[in-house]
Amino acid sequence: MASEKVETVIAGNYVEMEREEGSSKSTKSKFSKFLWDGGSVAQVLLTLPYSFSQLGLLSGILFQLLYGLMGSWTAYLISVLYVEYRTRKEREKVDFRNHVIQWFEVLDGLLGKHWRNVGLLFNCTFLVFGSVIQLIACASNIYYINDNLDKRTWTYIFGACCATTVFVPSFHNYRIWSFLGLVMTSYTAWYMTIASLIHGQIEGVKHSGPTTMVLYFTGATNILYTFGGHAVTVEIMHAMWKPQKFKLIYLIATLYVLTLTLPSASAVYWAFGDLLLTHSNALSLLPKNGYRDTAVILMLIHQFITFGFACTPLYFVWEKFLRVHDTKSVLKRALARLPVVIPIWFLAIIFPFFGPINSTVGSLLVSFTVYIIPSLAHMITFSSASARENAVERPPPFLGGWAGLYCANIFVVVWVLVVGFGFGGWASTLNFIRQIDSFGLFTKCYQCPPHKA
């Protein structure tokens, strides 16, 4: 009975929020929520064929299915913890109308300052490098349309362009862009699939993967990163009119993403095979024409949007540190945010390793930020009988109650700790060091073909 009362309270709050924001229950509204909550696989879409060349076709498909499921699971856990935290705070009459709730605050409210500090460290570091990856991807992509400038110069240019995201106040302002991003990603995925099939297999194509443990686990952690992009889950949920529906929407979005990533990665790998081992950006192998240029331009726009998605939580953290988060002056907030962009810009110039950097970030940061910490936090939050009895959201019946839920959490923690962080961290770090040895830091043009005179 107690849990039913709590559910009524939280439902009442969310209904009230919907009325304040003018939301509706129309089909159009539901469709827009699906588009809003879909997430992004833009730059990883272009590196998944590279991962397939490292893993082999079968392992590539199986890892996508496994990590897609695990990513949806931990997104569910984060959403449950967010609703639990928000409910407890609203019972204490805390007002969130001028405050964006973030993941480290959820950990602080439910588990204390030590969890807050760990969550803040991993989440912010991941978002910094997630933003770095977007800049690297922009430079890597535009080079295949205009190679008059090297990739490092393009990074300077796009760093300046992406700095304009400091003027975007919150995630509410990204709604229409999120919809457009989904369209852009869908076009690129199906272009890659169809173009590869039309191109056919290159002469003497080989599909050797997997050949070494280093390459195998590097490819696996890139896929771990692909389905671990929900470091901004709490901020997006806070921008929703009905946060409790996030978990279902995220699952649907993940299933849709699989309809893009599985065909495109498989088709490109089928056509080019081992050649992908030295071409981490799949667009570099597809023939230059209007369709490819369109895909490049759409990816550039989408990566700009995704840069804003990754940076906005960092902006919020920095604003709170400077105590300007509650100000209504857009200019004052924008000026306060600028120091966040500069180190991201600099890191993208130092480590322009498109592809290998995804795996390194996946193994060392995503493994904890997105998989291990949410699973452990959920288990500890509901470790006591009273916490389970008064939980706002109880485990789905098909899981087998709390016991089934704990088993699922333990599996995620052990698997990601051993395979993702352990083997993946070892392999991706070795691969990353090899890129530095081969190309050097601050390299002007990573994996560029010899420039034609």
Side-chain angles (χ1 to χ4, degrees):
M1 289 297 290
S3 63
E4 288 177 7
K5 289 179 182 176
V6 171
E7 287 172 4
T8 303
V9 170
I10 196 72
N13 286 341
Y14 287 139
V15 168
E16 201 60 39
M17 188 188 304
E18 269 202 313
R19 288 172 182 163
E20 288 175 9
E21 301 291 348
S23 180
S24 69
K25 295 183 179 180
S26 65
T27 304
K28 181 179 177 182
S29 173
K30 290 177 182 177
F31 182 62
S32 68
K33 285 177 184 176
F34 165 69
L35 298 173
W36 163 243
D37 302 323
S40 168
V41 291
Q43 89 287 346
V44 232
L45 185 70
L46 307 180
T47 62
L48 282 174
Y50 166 69
S51 296
F52 271 42
S53 70
Q54 297 170 317
L55 286 163
L57 184 63
L58 179 60
S59 289
I61 292 172
L62 291 177
F63 269 113
Q64 280 205 45
L65 295 174
L66 174 63
Y67 287 141
L69 180 62
M70 286 172 60
S72 296
W73 173 254
T74 52
Y76 159 74
L77 297 179
I78 293 170
S79 71
V80 168
L81 292 171
Y82 166 83
V83 172
E84 185 74 26
Y85 167 77
R86 183 164 177 172
T87 305
R88 292 183 186 183
K89 288 296 180 183
E90 287 183 341
R91 286 196 204 123
E92 298 169 7
K93 308 301 181 185
V94 176
D95 188 350
F96 292 112
R97 279 177 294 185
N98 294 316
H99 182 92
V100 177
I101 298 173
Q102 294 189 266
W103 175 231
F104 71 90
E105 293 170 317
V106 172
L107 291 173
D108 187 19
L110 296 176
L111 297 169
K113 66 177 182 179
H114 296 303
W115 278 85
R116 176 200 65 197
N117 294 340
V118 170
L120 188 61
L121 174 65
F122 276 103
N123 210 47
C124 287
T125 310
F126 169 39
L127 290 170
V128 165
F129 280 96
S131 303
V132 167
I133 287 168
Q134 299 307 321
L135 277 186
I136 296 171
C138 285
S140 178
N141 287 339
I142 191 63
Y143 181 80
Y144 298 114
I145 288 183
N146 184 341
D147 60 2
N148 293 324
L149 299 177
D150 58 71
K151 291 181 181 178
R152 188 170 68 191
T153 303
W154 280 119
T155 305
Y156 292 140
I157 295 168
F158 278 99
C161 294
C162 289
T164 60
T165 58
V166 298
F167 292 100
V168 182
S170 73
F171 279 104
H172 287 290
N173 307 102
Y174 282 105
R175 285 178 176 271
I176 184 63
W177 295 108
S178 183
F179 160 67
L180 293 174
L182 189 67
V183 175
M184 295 168 191
T185 307
S186 300
Y187 171 87
T188 303
W190 286 110
Y191 156 71
M192 289 168 59
T193 305
I194 296 167
S196 297
L197 295 175
I198 292 173
H199 181 278
Q201 293 184 311
I202 59 172
E203 186 177 350
V205 66
K206 291 182 179 179
H207 299 90
S208 306
T211 54
T212 68
M213 292 276 283
V214 170
L215 290 178
Y216 187 82
F217 286 106
T218 299
T221 49
N222 185 39
I223 297 177
L224 182 82
Y225 174 83
T226 303
F227 293 96
H230 42 284
V232 294
T233 296
V234 171
E235 290 85 355
I236 291 175
M237 286 183 67
H238 192 79
M240 290 174 63
W241 314 143
K242 280 195 170 184
Q244 73 271 38
K245 290 193 173 182
F246 177 87
K247 50 189 177 293
L248 176 60
I249 298 296
Y250 194 94
L251 176 61
I252 295 169
T254 299
L255 294 175
Y256 179 73
V257 164
L258 286 170
T259 69
L260 302 180
T261 57
L262 287 172
S264 60
S266 301
V268 177
Y269 179 54
W270 169 81
F272 299 101
D274 291 354
L275 191 57
L276 286 158
L277 289 170
T278 53
H279 293 77
S280 51
N281 188 333
L283 292 176
S284 65
L285 293 174
L286 293 167
K288 181 175 174 58
N289 53 39
Y291 295 110
R292 193 190 76 164
D293 288 353
T294 301
V296 171
I297 292 167
L298 292 178
M299 284 296 95
L300 285 173
I301 298 169
H302 190 37
Q303 279 149 358
F304 173 79
I305 298 164
T306 309
F307 181 92
F309 261 80
C311 256
T312 299
L314 293 172
Y315 296 153
F316 292 157
V317 172
W318 189 243
E319 288 170 3
K320 290 170 184 176
F321 176 74
L322 296 179
R323 301 183 186 279
V324 298
H325 183 60
D326 295 331
T327 184
K328 293 184 179 180
S329 170
V330 174
L331 182 60
K332 187 175 181 180
R333 291 177 70 186
L335 290 173
R337 292 171 170 190
L338 273 177
V340 175
V341 178
I342 294 169
I344 291 170
W345 199 354
F346 188 62
L347 286 167
I349 295 165
I350 300 176
F351 305 114
F353 309 127
F354 188 78
I357 194 172
N358 291 10
S359 302
T360 308
V361 171
S363 60
L364 303 182
L365 298 172
V366 175
S367 56
F368 283 94
T369 304
V370 176
Y371 297 94
I372 295 173
I373 291 175
S375 300
L376 288 175
H378 190 276
M379 287 192 287
I380 295 171
T381 298
F382 297 106
S383 59
S384 68
S386 61
R388 293 193 296 273
E389 178 64 28
N390 296 310
V392 176
E393 293 198 28
R394 308 183 75 79
F398 65 85
L399 277 178
W402 288 101
L405 187 142
Y406 268 70
C407 288
N409 283 344
I410 291 168
F411 171 80
V412 170
V413 171
V414 173
W415 177 277
V416 175
L417 193 62
V418 175
V419 178
F421 176 71
F423 287 106
W426 162 75
S428 58
T429 303
L430 272 182
N431 189 44
F432 194 78
I433 292 170
R434 287 174 185 173
Q435 306 305 309
I436 296 174
D437 291 341
S438 300
F439 297 93
L441 301 176
F442 298 98
T443 183
K444 289 183 71 173
C445 216
Y446 176 68
Q447 289 188 344
C448 292
H451 195 65
K452 295 177 183 178

